[in-house]
């Protein structure tokens, strides 16, 4: 069976995709910033008819076409559109690969008779793409190089055994050679592929390199060029069609348990864990309902995931009954195999980190994961800047770096003045209208202000911190400012001028 390859070229893929979502009339182009200026990335047919071309500076394009409408190019969306078209093209071939950033290459060997022949297959392809609003050109040939060249120069079908005759009229640039090689061939008067075919290969290789000879032989079939289709990314989704409609929460949870077993098995097969899980329920009246949960860490334990669905499933309106269920994991992360639970005394135990993750998942699904925060250490000795607040679900715990002699309280607040304090540390003092007597004290821990930050709260200079245990019970974090008497700079509203023994403050409380 002769090998037959189908090449599909999308010359305006990015602009066509953008205009499908937000149509515009008249000249239109997507722009991409390169260096210090914007350039045209992809144009529609109206813009090309006005003399604009890809790569042209946007300023020059607007001078030629003042009514040009533009949008910034989205390269990620363009790649996603091509990937979607690659999956769609599998209706014509079992193996489809991307061909650059704007084309596809499909191996249709043994397939055309299912569509009535190669001509009918190509017409069906072109008609479907045209109805979808996509400009495309296609070609069928016995080699990848010939199909690629012909698709980008008008399209068509090359009969088996007539490669040289059918592509000989094409320019040498159709061979996928670099610009310098094409320029060198042009200077020698070799403008068409037919000019290269009768020439000896050795002189061509010495003058222009092996790349030109390889591309020529690939186009003519002397060298093989496989179509290596990229493997599809795994889809983590399962579904279930029910023979009879259901409506009770217990029935939905039972179906969910079966779906979770299958979904988690697929996740384990690919060493992945779910971060979001979505349950879609289809009612018999063709309506639908959806429950989606987030997970504080990657997970593939069916029992623990099912528990998070209970509240959402209970609030679903099942109408006249649910006849289909679909469970997907739209967001996943890598998760190596691990022991998730064990048997102790006949019962199942959950590790401490798993229990904490379940708690964060439960709270995060109620109030939002961005509101469940954890403290992370920061590279600063200043108490107010020694930690960072980060969402617990999207950050990993970090150990607090050990600093000799440092011990931070569990509660920090802005410094509050202490009165009636005498001695170092003070034997007694008043704070928040209460009298405290010092039972034990440890310190001092001296902290200097960071000179690269102009913080008004630290303009008083050095601080000596003391850990004070009072006879009344509270364990407080006090500091004294030895330089307060000599401070002559501007005073902050929170820092009244004090003198002598009145420069003590409380900034935290230990557990």
């Amino acid at each position: 069976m002769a090998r037959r390859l189908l090449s599909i070229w999308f010359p305006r893929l990015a602009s066509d995709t953008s205009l499908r979502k937000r149509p515009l009339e008249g000249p239109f182009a997507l722009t991409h910033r390169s260096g210090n200026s914007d350039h045209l990335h992809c144009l529609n047919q109206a813009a090309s008819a006005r003399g604009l071309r890809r790569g042209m500076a946007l300023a020059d394009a607007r001078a030629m076409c003042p009514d040009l409408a533009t949008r910034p190019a989205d390269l990620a969306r363009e790649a996603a559109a091509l990937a979607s078209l690659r999956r769609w093209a599998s209706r014509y071939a079992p193996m489809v690969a991307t061909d650059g950033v704007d084309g596809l290459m499909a191996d249709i060997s043994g397939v055309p008779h299912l569509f009535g022949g190669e001509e009918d297959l190509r017409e069906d392809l072109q008609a479907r793409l045209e109805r979808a609003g996509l400009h495309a050109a296609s070609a069928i040939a016995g080699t990848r190089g010939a199909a690629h060249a012909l698709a980008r120069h008008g399209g068509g079908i090359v009969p088996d055994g007539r490669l040289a005759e059918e592509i000989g009229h094409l320019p040498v640039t159709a061979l996928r050679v670099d610009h310098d090689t094409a320029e060198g061939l042009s200077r020698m008067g070799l403008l068409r592929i037919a000019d290269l075919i009768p020439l000896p290969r050795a002189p061509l290789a010495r003058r222009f390199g092996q790349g030109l000879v390889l591309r020529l032989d690939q186009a003519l079939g002397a060298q093989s060029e496989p179509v290596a289709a990229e493997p599809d990314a795994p889809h983590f989704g399962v579904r279930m069609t029910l023979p009879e409609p259901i409506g009770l929460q217990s029935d939905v949870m039972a179906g969910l348990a079966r779906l979770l077993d299958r979904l988690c098995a697929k996740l384990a097969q690919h060493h992945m864990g779910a971060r979001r899980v979505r349950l879609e329920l289809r009612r018999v009246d063709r309506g639908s309902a959806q429950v989606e949960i987030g997970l504080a860490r990657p997970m593939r334990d069916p029992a623990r995931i099912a528990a998070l669905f209970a509240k959402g499933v209970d609030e679903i309106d099942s109408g006249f009954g649910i006849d289909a269920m679909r469970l997907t994991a739209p967001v996943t992360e890598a998760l190596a195999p691990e022991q998730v639970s064990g048997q102790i005394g006949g019962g199942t135990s959950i590790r401490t980190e798993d229990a904490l993750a379940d708690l964060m998942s439960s709270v995060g699904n109620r109030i939002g994961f961005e509101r469940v925060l954890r403290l992370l250490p920061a590279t600063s000795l200043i108490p107010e800047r020694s930690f960072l607040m980060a969402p617990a679900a999207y950050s990993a715990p970090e150990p607090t770096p050990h600093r000799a002699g440092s011990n931070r309280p569990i509660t920090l607040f802005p410094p509050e003045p202490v009165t009636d304090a005498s001695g170092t540390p003070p034997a007694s003092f008043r704070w928040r209208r209460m009298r405290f007597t010092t039972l034990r004290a440890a310190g001092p821990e001296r902290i200097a202000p960071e000179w690269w930050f102009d913080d008004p709260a630290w303009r008083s200079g050095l601080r000596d911190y003391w850990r004070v245990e009072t006879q009344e019970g509270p364990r407080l974090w006090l500091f004294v400012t030895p330089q307060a008497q000599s401070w002559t700079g501007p005073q902050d509203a929170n820092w009244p001028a004090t003198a002598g023994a009145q420069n003590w403050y409380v900034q935290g409380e230990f557990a």
Side-chain angles (χ1 to χ4, degrees):
M1 181 174 58
R3 189 185 188 207
R4 304 298 286 171
L5 298 175
L6 167 67
S7 176
I8 313 171
W9 179 45
F10 302 95
R12 309 181 194 280
L13 177 61
S15 60
D16 288 345
T17 304
S18 180
L19 290 174
R20 285 187 65 189
K21 294 189 175 182
R22 291 185 294 165
L24 286 175
E25 296 293 336
F28 170 77
L30 295 175
T31 62
H32 182 66
R33 192 161 189 84
S34 177
N36 295 324
S37 61
D38 291 328
H39 297 264
L40 301 187
H41 174 69
C42 189
L43 302 80
N44 69 347
Q45 199 165 6
S48 298
R50 299 282 287 272
L52 306 183
R53 65 184 185 278
R54 182 169 184 166
M56 176 183 288
L58 179 59
D60 296 338
R62 290 203 181 278
M64 295 176 58
C65 182
D67 58 339
L68 176 67
T70 62
R71 293 173 190 164
D74 189 340
L75 301 183
R77 178 178 294 179
E78 184 179 351
L82 186 63
S84 298
L85 287 169
R86 184 178 71 85
R87 291 191 295 270
W88 170 82
S90 62
R91 73 187 311 272
Y92 297 102
M95 187 178 299
V96 184
T98 56
D99 190 14
V101 297
D102 57 359
L104 299 174
M105 187 67 63
D107 190 340
I108 60 171
S109 304
V111 174
H113 71 278
L114 301 175
F115 294 85
E118 293 181 351
E119 188 64 39
D120 292 337
L121 183 150
R122 184 167 171 265
E123 289 179 0
D124 181 77
L125 169 74
Q126 293 288 157
R128 290 178 180 273
L129 292 175
E130 184 177 353
R131 287 196 298 268
L134 299 175
H135 293 82
S138 60
I140 300 176
T143 65
R144 180 169 183 168
H148 174 96
L150 194 59
R152 284 152 179 78
H153 292 84
I157 299 176
V158 178
D160 189 26
R162 294 180 53 85
L163 285 172
E165 294 85 345
E166 296 294 334
I167 69 171
H169 67 282
L170 301 180
V172 292
T173 53
L175 290 175
R176 297 173 291 170
V177 295
D178 58 82
H179 178 73
D180 292 339
T181 301
E183 285 289 330
L185 291 170
S186 177
R187 286 194 298 268
M188 295 184 63
L190 303 173
L191 304 178
R192 301 178 305 147
I193 296 177
D195 299 333
L196 299 177
I197 293 176
L199 297 180
R201 297 295 188 263
L204 279 178
R206 286 196 300 267
R207 177 65 179 84
F208 299 102
Q210 290 289 342
L212 172 62
V213 175
L214 176 62
R215 289 303 189 191
L216 180 60
D217 289 341
Q218 287 176 340
L220 298 176
Q223 288 280 351
S224 62
E225 186 177 8
V227 177
E230 300 87 349
D232 290 327
H235 173 67
F236 299 108
V238 292
R239 61 174 299 162
M240 175 190 298
T241 302
L242 304 171
E244 293 290 338
I246 61 174
L248 298 177
Q249 183 201 24
S250 58
D251 295 337
V252 176
M253 292 299 294
L256 173 64
R258 294 189 180 185
L259 292 176
L260 277 172
D261 288 339
R262 292 162 53 193
L263 178 64
C264 292
K266 184 179 288 189
L267 288 168
Q269 181 181 357
H270 294 86
H271 294 175
M272 301 293 287
R275 287 301 300 266
R276 297 200 72 82
V277 184
R278 181 183 302 137
L279 174 63
E280 300 173 46
L281 305 172
R282 190 187 67 186
R283 297 193 292 260
V284 294
D285 59 358
R286 297 304 175 186
S288 63
Q290 179 176 297
V291 181
E292 184 170 340
I293 65 164
L295 300 169
R297 55 172 293 197
M299 190 185 302
R300 55 172 180 259
D301 188 336
R304 291 164 57 200
I305 296 176
L308 298 173
F309 273 102
K311 181 177 182 297
V313 170
D314 188 43
E315 297 174 352
I316 286 178
D317 179 13
S318 58
F320 294 102
I322 297 168
D323 61 358
M325 304 173 62
R326 184 169 181 264
L327 188 68
T328 58
V331 181
T332 59
E333 290 183 9
L335 179 62
E338 61 179 1
Q339 181 179 348
V340 296
S341 62
Q343 297 288 335
I344 298 180
T348 302
S349 65
I350 300 180
R351 300 179 307 174
T352 302
E353 56 268 30
D354 292 337
L356 179 60
D358 292 346
L359 175 62
M360 289 192 297
S361 298
S362 179
V363 176
N365 282 296
R366 290 175 179 265
I367 66 174
F369 283 93
E370 68 281 355
R371 297 183 180 180
V372 183
L373 306 176
R374 68 157 40 104
L375 297 179
L376 299 178
T379 56
S380 177
L381 293 175
I382 303 300
E384 303 92 317
R385 294 193 287 268
S386 62
F387 61 89
L388 301 173
M389 304 287 287
Y394 310 116
S395 59
E398 299 180 15
T400 302
H402 176 73
R403 301 184 180 98
S406 65
N407 188 7
R408 297 290 184 263
I410 192 172
T411 303
L412 279 176
F413 43 79
E416 299 178 1
V418 166
T419 59
D420 299 340
S422 59
T424 302
S428 64
F429 55 91
R430 292 185 63 85
W431 173 60
R432 294 183 178 178
R433 299 182 181 181
M434 296 178 59
R435 167 66 65 175
F436 294 92
T437 301
T438 300
L439 189 62
R440 298 181 187 85
E445 176 190 354
R446 174 159 290 185
I447 299 179
E450 296 171 337
W451 56 267
W452 53 92
F453 286 117
D454 183 18
D455 189 347
W458 281 80
R459 289 177 181 172
S460 56
L462 299 172
R463 295 181 184 179
D464 288 338
Y465 282 87
W466 291 80
R467 301 187 297 277
V468 175
E469 182 177 347
T470 63
Q471 189 172 351
E472 289 73 16
R475 301 172 63 241
L476 304 176
W477 203 37
L478 278 70
F479 71 85
V480 63
T481 53
Q483 298 177 341
Q485 287 181 297
S486 59
W487 174 251
T488 59
Q491 296 288 339
D492 185 79
N494 295 327
W495 289 89
T498 56
Q502 301 300 318
N503 56 352
W504 283 90
Y505 300 86
V506 178
Q507 194 176 356
E509 186 172 358
F510 294 89

